[in-house]
Amino acid sequence: MGMFILRRVGVMLLTAFCLTFIVFFMTNLYPNLEKLAKTQGNFRMSDEAVVSYLTREGYMAPLPVKYGRWLGVLPNHVFTDEDGKVTGKCIREGVNTPETAPAYCGVLQGEWGYSSVFKEDAGSIIAKRLGLTGWLALAAFAVMIPLALIIGVLAGMREGSRTDRSLSTFSIASSATPEYVSGVIFIAVFASSAFGLRWFKGSSTSAMDDITFANFTLPVATIALYGVGYIARMTRASMAEVMTAQYIRTARLKGVSFPNIVMRHALRNALIAPFTVIMLQFPYLLTGVVITETLFNYKGFGWMLVQAASNNDIDLLLGGSVVAVFVVLVTQLISDVGYVFLNPRIRIS
């Protein structure tokens, strides 16, 4: 198991390196850099002024050099601004000077860059927005997973029954309804004064910096409703397959009660396939809730990525991509390890 995890970690690091390099390459294409220069300077800047700005900031360096500086494995780019002041990525006013600033300053050293939109360190912005999305994901997960497993197990226990057909219809309808549809319906029904639920009002327009039950309920319900159907369908299919297995029939012939058959024999094997699907919900809850966060003006991690992409905030976008890649790879590693524990037939060489 130790060698298996070690190999998976090695593959994970290599994958992270490749993915971050691709994102870095895409964000550092010249049209993006030109837009950044004009955003920071003047939209009427000439081509010569744009090139001068990008050269001074270090964006015109070769791509491997820029990537190495961003990672922190190559020395930082130091330049002199228009006023003759020596500055650079590692130099912070009131913190250090060009003489005391570290030579290496990148992601590996904890330096995420500076957000050109929020005018703040990208690391602090990512931490704050990630925390907001974390609470949203935790609440949605707490509602979605138990409900989906209960629906899937109940539907799969007696395949073809009326309960199975009813719950399967609900699961299909839930997974087929996108967030921007269910979210709008929730806003129209609960955030209006038609039913006298005025305490819900403002959940779609508030700043969402202060989480309350009123402005937190509808985003959680929107996310959970979409995820419940998908996980429930996977659980139902797995449970129905397990219930037809030979060892289940043998247990029935021996007179084992139906609840014991389900809880002691069928449930563990039925959860093997849904476990992978459940682990894949973590990356979705981090970056896939962009629509929900935008719809309800919930200023979390997904909302931050939209703002960074639409405003060409390169440092913030790159920092967000690192976090997203890390979460995807770690959850995939946990999924692989958990799959081995749930399925005793798998042997690791």
Side-chain angles (χ1 to χ4, degrees):
M1 176 63 74
M3 289 301 300
F4 170 75
I5 296 177
L6 189 61
R7 288 196 301 268
R8 293 295 300 168
V9 171
V11 173
M12 183 179 70
L13 293 177
L14 180 61
T15 305
F17 174 81
C18 295
L19 291 177
T20 54
F21 183 81
I22 293 173
V23 175
F24 188 87
F25 169 75
M26 297 298 293
T27 54
N28 278 269
L29 293 174
Y30 187 77
N32 294 334
L33 298 178
E34 182 181 15
K35 181 180 177 182
L36 174 65
K38 292 183 177 181
T39 302
Q40 296 301 306
N42 191 327
F43 281 99
R44 296 182 179 181
M45 291 174 64
S46 62
D47 294 340
E48 293 78 9
V50 170
V51 172
S52 176
Y53 173 85
L54 295 178
T55 302
R56 189 174 69 249
E57 294 284 342
Y59 288 108
M60 298 302 290
L63 184 64
V65 175
K66 290 190 295 183
Y67 183 69
R69 289 171 177 169
W70 176 72
L71 281 180
V73 296
L74 291 179
N76 180 46
H77 173 70
V78 179
F79 60 91
T80 304
D81 60 14
E82 297 177 351
D83 299 329
K85 182 180 178 181
V86 178
T87 184
K89 185 177 181 180
C90 296
I91 303 174
R92 292 287 183 266
E93 185 175 354
V95 178
N96 53 39
T97 64
E99 292 75 19
T100 60
Y104 295 87
C105 191
V107 174
L108 298 179
Q109 287 80 25
E111 176 59 58
W112 297 77
Y114 189 77
S115 172
S116 60
V117 174
F118 296 96
K119 306 301 179 183
E120 189 179 348
D121 285 339
S124 61
I125 298 174
I126 293 173
K128 179 180 179 181
R129 302 305 172 186
L130 194 61
L132 291 174
T133 297
W135 285 112
L136 180 64
L138 181 63
F141 215 73
V143 174
M144 177 173 57
I145 302 304
L147 183 60
L149 292 180
I150 291 173
I151 292 175
V153 170
L154 291 178
M157 284 193 310
R158 302 184 183 276
E159 185 179 10
S161 64
R162 182 178 299 178
T163 301
D164 177 27
R165 292 194 297 269
S166 300
L167 294 177
S168 297
T169 301
F170 169 77
S171 300
I172 294 173
S174 172
S175 60
T177 305
E179 297 96 321
Y180 58 83
V181 174
S182 58
V184 170
I185 293 176
F186 283 145
I187 292 174
V189 174
F190 294 105
S192 65
S193 58
F195 295 95
L197 300 179
R198 296 180 180 274
W199 56 283
F200 271 115
K201 199 167 185 178
S203 62
S204 60
T205 58
S206 63
M208 300 300 287
D209 287 331
D210 297 325
I211 298 177
T212 64
F213 180 79
N215 62 22
F216 202 56
T217 305
L218 297 186
V220 169
T222 302
I223 297 172
L225 181 64
Y226 181 76
V228 160
Y230 183 51
I231 300 175
R233 291 170 62 193
M234 292 293 298
T235 306
R236 183 260 177 199
S238 181
M239 190 69 182
E241 181 181 359
V242 169
M243 293 299 292
T244 59
Q246 187 64 39
Y247 69 93
I248 297 295
R249 295 177 182 176
T250 303
R252 286 183 175 181
L253 292 176
K254 288 184 176 181
V256 180
S257 63
F258 189 75
N260 284 335
I261 290 176
V262 173
M263 299 301 297
R264 299 184 60 181
H265 300 283
L267 191 58
R268 177 177 177 177
N269 290 332
L271 290 179
I272 294 176
F275 178 77
T276 304
V277 178
I278 290 172
M279 293 307 300
L280 291 176
Q281 296 300 310
F282 281 99
Y284 162 74
L285 290 174
L286 179 65
T287 60
V289 295
V290 173
I291 296 176
T292 302
E293 291 187 349
T294 304
L295 181 64
F296 291 96
N297 197 28
Y298 188 90
K299 298 181 179 180
F301 189 79
W303 177 88
M304 181 203 72
L305 290 179
V306 172
Q307 298 299 315
S310 59
N311 292 282
N312 208 50
D313 194 338
I314 292 180
D315 285 343
L316 188 59
L317 191 60
L318 288 173
S321 68
V322 171
V323 174
V325 167
F326 178 79
V327 171
V328 171
L329 295 177
V330 169
T331 52
Q332 190 62 49
L333 176 63
I334 296 174
S335 175
D336 292 341
V337 175
Y339 196 90
V340 172
F341 280 108
L342 286 175
N343 194 345
R345 293 172 295 181
I346 296 179
R347 292 293 181 266
I348 302 173
S349 58

